[in-house]
Amino acid sequence: MRDVVRGPGRVEAALRDALIELGAESDVDRITVAALARRARVGRTTFYRHHADLGAYVASLRERVLDELCAAFRAAQREAGRDAGLYPVLTLRIGALLAVVEEHAELLPLLCRGAAGTGFRRRCRRSLRGLLADDFAVLGARVDAAYCPPEYLLAFLSHAFVGTVATWLRNGRPEPVEELTFYLTALMSGSTAEFLEPRG
């Protein structure tokens, strides 16, 4: 088959769209490079020029999405600084994360399937836990261990966030991002505020 789609950016976009379409029809493990290339209207040679195999391609998508989520959070963190207070800071961070989630809304459920998907969800939670810990440092606050060990609060917040976003995606994103940002900010700041104390 002659390539119809050309150019690295166009090839990647075509492969991504084809993967989403095929993922809606069958399990990712059953998709072949031949089927993906055919649906994307690129040659198999073109696919292999960019990726070692289908597993490596899907893994690269997971890496890219996770990198974008972390970059969005950190950019929002820099934008807010440390003087804004917990609620506005969390609103900005959560809004930035959800903008990336919405951008990849059709792809994310596919990336979360199977054993590799479980590992991807675990890495998302672990990354968010680290980012939230950084957040508290930026705010000049610490978790008061007398009330709650910090690792428990961070684990709770990261699991709750990822689980709520997964439910939102599964339900077809019934609320707009702005509304979900409000809900998640209220839940996370309410869960966090009483356990934080200023750094002395």
Side-chain angles (χ1 to χ4, degrees):
M1 170 184 141
R2 260 184 69 216
D3 295 12
V4 177
V5 176
R6 293 173 192 232
R10 288 184 181 170
V11 167
E12 289 303 313
L15 288 171
R16 182 183 184 277
D17 292 346
L19 186 70
I20 290 168
E21 287 175 20
L22 290 169
E25 297 167 11
S26 70
D27 193 65
V28 181
D29 297 334
R30 295 187 177 171
I31 298 171
T32 64
V33 170
L36 182 67
R38 190 168 40 254
R39 183 68 62 100
R41 297 172 56 204
V42 302
R44 286 194 323 177
T45 304
T46 300
F47 175 88
Y48 286 116
R49 195 176 302 133
H50 297 274
H51 305 285
D53 55 33
L54 194 65
Y57 171 59
V58 175
S60 74
L61 289 175
R62 288 189 178 103
E63 289 301 317
R64 192 176 314 153
V65 170
L66 187 54
D67 287 348
E68 286 180 27
L69 287 165
C70 292
F73 189 97
R74 288 192 181 105
Q77 196 175 57
R78 285 191 301 274
E79 187 180 328
R82 60 181 296 154
D83 299 323
L86 180 66
Y87 194 90
V89 164
L90 281 176
T91 301
L92 197 59
R93 311 293 201 271
I94 290 168
L97 286 173
L98 290 178
V100 175
V101 168
E102 189 173 47
E103 182 184 338
H104 297 293
E106 293 177 316
L107 181 65
L108 274 166
L110 189 143
L111 297 180
C112 289
R113 287 189 209 149
T118 301
F120 174 65
R121 290 193 306 274
R122 191 178 303 119
R123 287 184 62 213
C124 286
R125 290 192 299 266
R126 197 166 44 239
S127 296
L128 181 57
R129 199 161 56 228
L131 291 167
L132 286 168
D134 291 347
D135 226 14
F136 295 156
V138 167
L139 289 168
R142 65 174 173 232
V143 179
D144 187 348
Y147 292 100
C148 175
E151 62 272 19
Y152 293 158
L153 179 59
L154 293 169
F156 170 77
L157 292 174
S158 59
H159 276 74
F161 180 90
V162 172
T164 303
V165 170
T167 300
W168 179 67
L169 289 172
R170 264 196 309 273
N171 290 343
R173 294 177 286 152
E175 297 85 14
V177 164
E178 296 77 16
E179 199 171 332
L180 187 63
T181 299
F182 172 77
Y183 295 151
L184 281 166
T185 304
L187 289 168
M188 292 179 83
S189 60
S191 301
T192 304
E194 66 183 292
F195 297 120
L196 288 183
E197 57 181 14
R199 285 191 192 276

